[in-house]
């Protein structure tokens, strides 16, 4: 099977579409029915992470997803082009500012200063969830962003 590539505007509503497309391509690639929920959930988590990063750092850039069914494997690569250096801290600052609206700016910064530790746990937990759902996972962090490659076993499907 050829590679199916899609890109979408970084909006949470598009994550559902990406999950549906990934599940359909996985089924067509011969992934066992028992694994389709794992594909759907892992792709949804990876796309949600990419959408969040793009909304923070580059909302005009699309999230990219490549789906490939090769002999014996179904592979999904979700790539974001958001710089990942201080994304968690920036997201924490934004959350701290929104929740601490009645505090002085210095108070907001102090509230946000405690936030990065809490923010980092869900991000790492999301990667752990992906690693638990996919048969094989490779995560590559570059200056340009993050690429998550996930794969599952598939049966050979007659064309």
């Amino acid at each position: 099977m050829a590679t199916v590539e899609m890109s979408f505007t970084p909006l949470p509503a598009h994550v559902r579409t990406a999950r549906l497309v990934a599940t359909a391509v996985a089924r067509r690639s011969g992934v066992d029915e028992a694994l389709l929920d794992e594909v759907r959930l892992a792709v949804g988590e990876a796309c949600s992470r990419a959408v969040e990063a793009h909304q923070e750092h580059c909302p005009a850039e699309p999230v990219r997803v490549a789906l490939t069914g090769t002999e014996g494997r179904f592979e999904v690569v979700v790539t974001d082009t958001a710089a990942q250096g201080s994304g968690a801290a920036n997201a924490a600052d934004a959350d701290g500012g929104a929740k601490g609206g009645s505090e002085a700016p210095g108070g907001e910064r102090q509230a946000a200063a405690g936030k990065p530790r809490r923010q980092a746990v869900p991000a790492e937990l999301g990667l752990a969830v992906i690693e638990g759902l996919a048969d094989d996972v490779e995560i590559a962090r570059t200056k340009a962003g993050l690429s998550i490659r996930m794969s599952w076993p598939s049966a050979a499907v007659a064309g």
Side-chain angles (χ1 to χ4, degrees):
M1 172 179 228
T3 298
V4 174
E5 294 180 342
M6 65 179 156
S7 60
F8 60 90
T9 306
L11 296 172
H14 297 306
V15 172
R16 179 177 186 270
T17 303
R19 287 192 318 243
L20 292 170
V21 170
T23 303
V25 174
R27 181 176 284 120
R28 186 161 170 90
S29 296
V31 173
D32 188 80
E33 287 290 323
L35 296 176
L36 292 179
D37 277 342
E38 293 178 8
V39 171
R40 182 181 54 81
L41 292 169
V43 169
E45 181 63 31
C47 288
S48 292
R49 291 176 52 79
V51 164
E52 187 175 314
H54 275 238
Q55 286 181 333
E56 177 72 22
H57 299 287
C58 54
E61 292 293 319
V63 173
R64 301 189 191 294
V65 181
L67 311 146
T68 307
T70 59
E71 192 171 313
R73 300 297 295 170
F74 171 66
E75 181 177 285
V76 179
V77 180
V78 177
T79 306
D80 72 55
T81 54
Q84 295 293 314
S86 60
N90 289 343
D93 286 343
D95 286 350
K99 291 180 182 177
S102 61
E103 293 183 25
E108 288 176 6
R109 290 195 187 280
Q110 289 174 353
K115 206 71 161 152
R117 288 185 185 153
R118 289 189 298 241
Q119 288 290 80
V121 172
E124 295 306 317
L125 181 61
L127 291 175
V129 167
I130 292 169
E131 289 175 344
L133 292 168
D135 186 57
D136 184 40
V137 178
E138 287 181 19
I139 301 167
R141 190 177 303 271
T142 66
K143 290 180 183 179
L146 187 72
S147 176
I148 301 175
R149 187 194 64 75
M150 306 163 278
S151 68
W152 293 267
S154 67
V157 176

mmCIF file of all heavy atoms in Angstrom, residues 10 12 47-58 63 82 84 87-88 91 119 123:
data_model
loop_
_atom_site.group_PDB
_atom_site.id
_atom_site.type_symbol
_atom_site.label_atom_id
_atom_site.label_comp_id
_atom_site.label_asym_id
_atom_site.label_seq_id
_atom_site.Cartn_x
_atom_site.Cartn_y
_atom_site.Cartn_z
ATOM 1 N N PRO A 10 -3.951 23.169 12.894
ATOM 2 C CA PRO A 10 -3.846 22.721 14.281
ATOM 3 C C PRO A 10 -5.040 23.137 15.147
ATOM 4 O O PRO A 10 -4.951 24.037 15.974
ATOM 5 C CB PRO A 10 -2.540 23.349 14.769
ATOM 6 C CG PRO A 10 -2.355 24.544 13.916
ATOM 7 C CD PRO A 10 -2.952 24.195 12.582
ATOM 8 N N PRO A 12 -8.183 21.309 17.578
ATOM 9 C CA PRO A 12 -8.563 20.041 18.215
ATOM 10 C C PRO A 12 -9.622 19.252 17.441
ATOM 11 O O PRO A 12 -9.600 18.024 17.441
ATOM 12 C CB PRO A 12 -9.084 20.478 19.584
ATOM 13 C CG PRO A 12 -8.374 21.757 19.871
ATOM 14 C CD PRO A 12 -8.234 22.431 18.522
ATOM 15 N N CYS A 47 -1.468 13.295 17.727
ATOM 16 C CA CYS A 47 -2.001 14.470 17.032
ATOM 17 C C CYS A 47 -2.397 15.571 18.023
ATOM 18 O O CYS A 47 -2.181 16.750 17.756
ATOM 19 C CB CYS A 47 -3.183 14.086 16.152
ATOM 20 S SG CYS A 47 -2.718 13.158 14.676
ATOM 21 N N SER A 48 -2.955 15.196 19.145
ATOM 22 C CA SER A 48 -3.321 16.195 20.163
ATOM 23 C C SER A 48 -2.089 16.934 20.669
ATOM 24 O O SER A 48 -2.116 18.146 20.856
ATOM 25 C CB SER A 48 -4.044 15.529 21.334
ATOM 26 O OG SER A 48 -5.300 15.054 20.930
ATOM 27 N N ARG A 49 -1.002 16.194 20.893
ATOM 28 C CA ARG A 49 0.246 16.819 21.329
ATOM 29 C C ARG A 49 0.747 17.797 20.262
ATOM 30 O O ARG A 49 1.180 18.896 20.581
ATOM 31 C CB ARG A 49 1.308 15.754 21.586
ATOM 32 C CG ARG A 49 1.044 14.872 22.794
ATOM 33 C CD ARG A 49 2.095 13.784 22.922
ATOM 34 N NE ARG A 49 3.454 14.302 22.898
ATOM 35 C CZ ARG A 49 4.061 14.858 23.931
ATOM 36 N NH1 ARG A 49 3.449 14.981 25.078
ATOM 37 N NH2 ARG A 49 5.300 15.308 23.823
ATOM 38 N N ALA A 50 0.687 17.381 19.004
ATOM 39 C CA ALA A 50 1.154 18.239 17.915
ATOM 40 C C ALA A 50 0.282 19.488 17.787
ATOM 41 O O ALA A 50 0.788 20.590 17.589
ATOM 42 C CB ALA A 50 1.180 17.462 16.605
ATOM 43 N N VAL A 51 -1.035 19.330 17.902
ATOM 44 C CA VAL A 51 -1.950 20.473 17.826
ATOM 45 C C VAL A 51 -1.639 21.471 18.935
ATOM 46 O O VAL A 51 -1.546 22.682 18.711
ATOM 47 C CB VAL A 51 -3.429 20.011 17.890
ATOM 48 C CG1 VAL A 51 -4.364 21.175 18.197
ATOM 49 C CG2 VAL A 51 -3.821 19.352 16.578
ATOM 50 N N GLU A 52 -1.441 20.971 20.141
ATOM 51 C CA GLU A 52 -1.134 21.848 21.270
ATOM 52 C C GLU A 52 0.160 22.622 21.040
ATOM 53 O O GLU A 52 0.229 23.828 21.266
ATOM 54 C CB GLU A 52 -1.022 21.009 22.544
ATOM 55 C CG GLU A 52 -0.874 21.832 23.796
ATOM 56 C CD GLU A 52 -0.891 20.971 25.042
ATOM 57 O OE1 GLU A 52 -1.764 20.087 25.151
ATOM 58 O OE2 GLU A 52 -0.017 21.179 25.895
ATOM 59 N N ALA A 53 1.197 21.942 20.544
ATOM 60 C CA ALA A 53 2.472 22.600 20.267
ATOM 61 C C ALA A 53 2.320 23.646 19.167
ATOM 62 O O ALA A 53 2.848 24.757 19.270
ATOM 63 C CB ALA A 53 3.521 21.561 19.877
ATOM 64 N N HIS A 54 1.579 23.316 18.127
ATOM 65 C CA HIS A 54 1.379 24.258 17.018
ATOM 66 C C HIS A 54 0.574 25.472 17.460
ATOM 67 O O HIS A 54 0.875 26.594 17.053
ATOM 68 C CB HIS A 54 0.683 23.567 15.847
ATOM 69 C CG HIS A 54 1.627 22.856 14.946
ATOM 70 N ND1 HIS A 54 1.748 23.126 13.617
ATOM 71 C CD2 HIS A 54 2.528 21.861 15.198
ATOM 72 C CE1 HIS A 54 2.665 22.344 13.075
ATOM 73 N NE2 HIS A 54 3.145 21.567 14.019
ATOM 74 N N GLN A 55 -0.452 25.272 18.249
ATOM 75 C CA GLN A 55 -1.254 26.404 18.701
ATOM 76 C C GLN A 55 -0.408 27.375 19.509
ATOM 77 O O GLN A 55 -0.609 28.573 19.430
ATOM 78 C CB GLN A 55 -2.457 25.928 19.511
ATOM 79 C CG GLN A 55 -3.531 25.323 18.655
ATOM 80 C CD GLN A 55 -4.745 24.868 19.452
ATOM 81 O OE1 GLN A 55 -4.655 24.543 20.621
ATOM 82 N NE2 GLN A 55 -5.887 24.839 18.785
ATOM 83 N N GLU A 56 0.556 26.846 20.245
ATOM 84 C CA GLU A 56 1.419 27.693 21.064
ATOM 85 C C GLU A 56 2.493 28.394 20.246
ATOM 86 O O GLU A 56 2.772 29.562 20.446
ATOM 87 C CB GLU A 56 2.081 26.841 22.161
ATOM 88 C CG GLU A 56 3.053 27.591 23.039
ATOM 89 C CD GLU A 56 2.390 28.558 23.992
ATOM 90 O OE1 GLU A 56 1.186 28.390 24.286
ATOM 91 O OE2 GLU A 56 3.076 29.494 24.443
ATOM 92 N N HIS A 57 3.117 27.670 19.290
ATOM 93 C CA HIS A 57 4.310 28.184 18.630
ATOM 94 C C HIS A 57 4.142 28.571 17.165
ATOM 95 O O HIS A 57 4.855 29.455 16.693
ATOM 96 C CB HIS A 57 5.433 27.142 18.728
ATOM 97 C CG HIS A 57 5.803 26.827 20.135
ATOM 98 N ND1 HIS A 57 6.508 27.694 20.927
ATOM 99 C CD2 HIS A 57 5.533 25.747 20.907
ATOM 100 C CE1 HIS A 57 6.675 27.171 22.120
ATOM 101 N NE2 HIS A 57 6.090 25.987 22.141
ATOM 102 N N CYS A 58 3.277 27.901 16.436
ATOM 103 C CA CYS A 58 3.164 28.196 14.997
ATOM 104 C C CYS A 58 1.763 27.835 14.496
ATOM 105 O O CYS A 58 1.600 26.882 13.738
ATOM 106 C CB CYS A 58 4.233 27.453 14.205
ATOM 107 S SG CYS A 58 4.270 25.673 14.483
ATOM 108 N N VAL A 63 -0.195 20.469 10.964
ATOM 109 C CA VAL A 63 0.320 19.232 11.540
ATOM 110 C C VAL A 63 0.345 18.217 10.400
ATOM 111 O O VAL A 63 -0.579 18.167 9.596
ATOM 112 C CB VAL A 63 -0.604 18.743 12.681
ATOM 113 C CG1 VAL A 63 -0.181 17.369 13.173
ATOM 114 C CG2 VAL A 63 -0.643 19.753 13.814
ATOM 115 N N ALA A 82 6.666 22.733 15.442
ATOM 116 C CA ALA A 82 6.777 23.712 16.523
ATOM 117 C C ALA A 82 8.094 23.514 17.252
ATOM 118 O O ALA A 82 8.490 22.392 17.534
ATOM 119 C CB ALA A 82 5.615 23.554 17.498
ATOM 120 N N GLN A 84 10.273 23.039 20.259
ATOM 121 C CA GLN A 84 9.868 22.406 21.507
ATOM 122 C C GLN A 84 10.680 22.857 22.716
ATOM 123 O O GLN A 84 10.481 22.354 23.793
ATOM 124 C CB GLN A 84 9.989 20.886 21.370
ATOM 125 C CG GLN A 84 9.043 20.324 20.355
ATOM 126 C CD GLN A 84 7.601 20.451 20.781
ATOM 127 O OE1 GLN A 84 7.241 20.161 21.901
ATOM 128 N NE2 GLN A 84 6.764 20.921 19.892
ATOM 129 N N GLY A 87 8.338 24.976 25.350
ATOM 130 C CA GLY A 87 6.894 24.878 25.163
ATOM 131 C C GLY A 87 6.139 24.632 26.443
ATOM 132 O O GLY A 87 5.127 25.256 26.710
ATOM 133 N N ALA A 88 6.617 23.727 27.295
ATOM 134 C CA ALA A 88 5.905 23.431 28.537
ATOM 135 C C ALA A 88 5.898 24.645 29.452
ATOM 136 O O ALA A 88 4.887 24.963 30.069
ATOM 137 C CB ALA A 88 6.544 22.241 29.243
ATOM 138 N N ALA A 91 3.462 27.212 27.994
ATOM 139 C CA ALA A 91 2.081 26.795 28.221
ATOM 140 C C ALA A 91 1.712 26.991 29.679
ATOM 141 O O ALA A 91 0.606 27.414 30.001
ATOM 142 C CB ALA A 91 1.894 25.329 27.827
ATOM 143 N N GLN A 119 2.818 20.532 34.535
ATOM 144 C CA GLN A 119 2.581 20.448 33.103
ATOM 145 C C GLN A 119 3.447 19.353 32.474
ATOM 146 O O GLN A 119 3.017 18.697 31.553
ATOM 147 C CB GLN A 119 2.894 21.783 32.419
ATOM 148 C CG GLN A 119 1.890 22.872 32.710
ATOM 149 C CD GLN A 119 0.580 22.587 32.047
ATOM 150 O OE1 GLN A 119 -0.219 21.798 32.532
ATOM 151 N NE2 GLN A 119 0.347 23.213 30.929
ATOM 152 N N ALA A 123 2.592 15.673 29.792
ATOM 153 C CA ALA A 123 3.269 15.530 28.507
ATOM 154 C C ALA A 123 4.020 14.211 28.450
ATOM 155 O O ALA A 123 3.938 13.470 27.477
ATOM 156 C CB ALA A 123 4.214 16.700 28.270
#
